[in-house]
Amino acid sequence: MRTVVRQYCRVERKERRTADKSAIEWTEATWNPTTGCDRISSGCDNCYALTLAKRLKAMRSAKYQTDGDPRTSGPGFGVALHPDALDIPRRWRDPRTVFVNSMLDLFHARVPLAYVQQVFAVMRETPRHTFQVLTKRASRLAKVAHQIDWPANVWMGVSVEDYAQRERVAQLREVPAAVRFISAEPLLGPLVDLNLDGIDWLIVGGESGQGCRPMDPAWVRDLRDQCASAGTAFFFKQWGGRTPKVGGRHLDGRTWDEMPAPRLLVQA
C-alpha cells in the first residue's frame, strides 16, 4: 500500500512539474485543460496518450479517472474537462512555447464550443506565450473557426499521417491562424505532391513504442524537398523505434529544426 501511495504522489508531482516543461523537441511546455480522446484514423492506432492515461488511472491520478469507449478509447482516456487548469498559463511569468492538449484533441466533438472559446480566451490574455494547437478533427476546426477569436500567439496545426488524410490540410487553410502547420507524425506513408500553399511549418516524425510502424527515409526526404520548394519551414523530429530517441533525429548528416515566421493577422 505504501508503494502505491508513493507512486501516486510522484505522478501528481510529475503532472504539476511537467506542465512547465516538455521533452517534445518542437515545444517547451504542455498544457492540458482537457484530457481523453477517441481513435479516428490509422495514426491513432498506437496512441501514446491512451497508454499513458491507462497507467495514470491505475496510479490514481485525479485527471485520468474517466473511462472512454473501449472500442475507440480506454481506461482513464474518456473526454474530461478541467476548468481548474485554465489558469495555468496565467501563472507562468516567463514566455514559453506551449503545446496545448498533448493528452486530448481540443476539437473533439465532446468538448463544447464554449469551452474551446474559454481556452482561446486564456491564450489571448497571455500574449507572452506562444501556443501550439494540434488536431486530427480538421472538419470541426474548419466548421467552428469563424466562432473563435484568433489571437496572434496561437499556431494551429493538423495531423496528416498518410495520403488518405490530406483533406485535413485544405480544411486547415480555412483557419485564420498566425501560423498553420502540419504534423506528419507518425508518418505512415508517402505524402507526394502535398499542397503546402498557406502552410508555414511541417513537422515529420516516425512512430515509437511497442508495435511501431517503420518510416521510409524516402518519404522524409520528399517532404523536406517539398518544403524547400514551397518556402515552408521543415522540422524533423525523430526516426522513431522502440523508444522515441533510439533512432536519433539526423537526416542526411544533420538535424532539421526550422521554425515558422508568424504572419500578421488582419482583424475583421
Side-chain angles (χ1 to χ4, degrees), residues 32-249:
N32 285 293
T34 53
T35 54
C37 202
D38 289 275
R39 290 171 286 191
I40 60 169
S41 64
S42 58
C44 305
D45 289 350
N46 295 319
C47 177
Y48 75 91
L50 189 154
T51 301
L52 179 57
K54 180 179 180 180
R55 187 180 312 149
L56 291 170
K57 175 183 170 67
M59 297 176 77
R60 304 181 188 176
S61 178
K63 289 176 73 174
Y64 300 94
Q65 296 306 310
T66 302
D67 292 341
D69 186 330
R71 297 168 297 179
T72 56
S73 184
F77 208 48
V79 174
L81 310 184
H82 304 290
D84 57 321
L86 286 172
D87 265 345
I88 289 174
R90 295 187 177 109
R91 297 199 294 264
W92 290 334
R93 295 184 179 180
D94 296 330
R96 63 205 68 196
T97 302
V98 184
F99 179 26
V100 181
N101 281 120
S102 61
M103 295 295 288
L104 175 89
D105 191 324
L106 185 61
F107 290 90
H108 193 289
R110 290 204 294 276
V111 179
L113 177 59
Y115 193 80
V116 175
Q117 291 168 331
Q118 282 185 266
V119 172
F120 271 77
V122 172
M123 296 190 287
R124 184 171 58 255
E125 293 163 13
T126 52
R128 62 189 175 276
H129 306 315
T130 297
F131 294 94
Q132 301 158 317
V133 183
L134 183 62
T135 185
K136 285 185 172 71
R137 291 162 171 84
S139 57
R140 188 184 185 212
L141 166 65
K143 182 178 179 180
V144 304
H146 69 286
Q147 300 179 66
I148 294 171
D149 185 357
W150 289 86
N153 61 329
V154 172
W155 299 5
M156 189 67 232
V158 295
S159 296
V160 181
E161 64 266 34
D162 55 35
Y163 200 65
Q165 306 305 329
R166 67 191 181 281
E167 76 279 359
R168 293 174 182 167
V169 182
Q171 292 161 334
L172 175 63
R173 264 190 288 273
E174 301 178 31
V175 176
V179 167
R180 302 186 193 99
F181 70 96
I182 295 169
S183 174
E185 183 189 6
L187 182 59
L188 302 178
L191 293 174
V192 296
D193 298 325
L194 191 63
N195 185 351
L196 293 174
D197 289 347
I199 304 303
D200 306 288
W201 193 32
L202 191 147
I203 303 165
V204 178
E207 192 168 52
S208 60
Q210 186 175 3
C212 60
R213 292 159 286 186
M215 179 174 64
D216 190 327
W219 305 341
V220 184
R221 293 189 178 100
D222 178 61
L223 285 173
R224 176 198 59 191
D225 296 345
Q226 288 187 58
C227 285
S229 296
T232 299
F234 176 77
F235 194 104
F236 183 55
K237 180 173 177 284
Q238 65 187 40
W239 287 106
R242 182 179 50 82
T243 66
K245 311 294 184 185
V246 69
R249 53 187 307 264

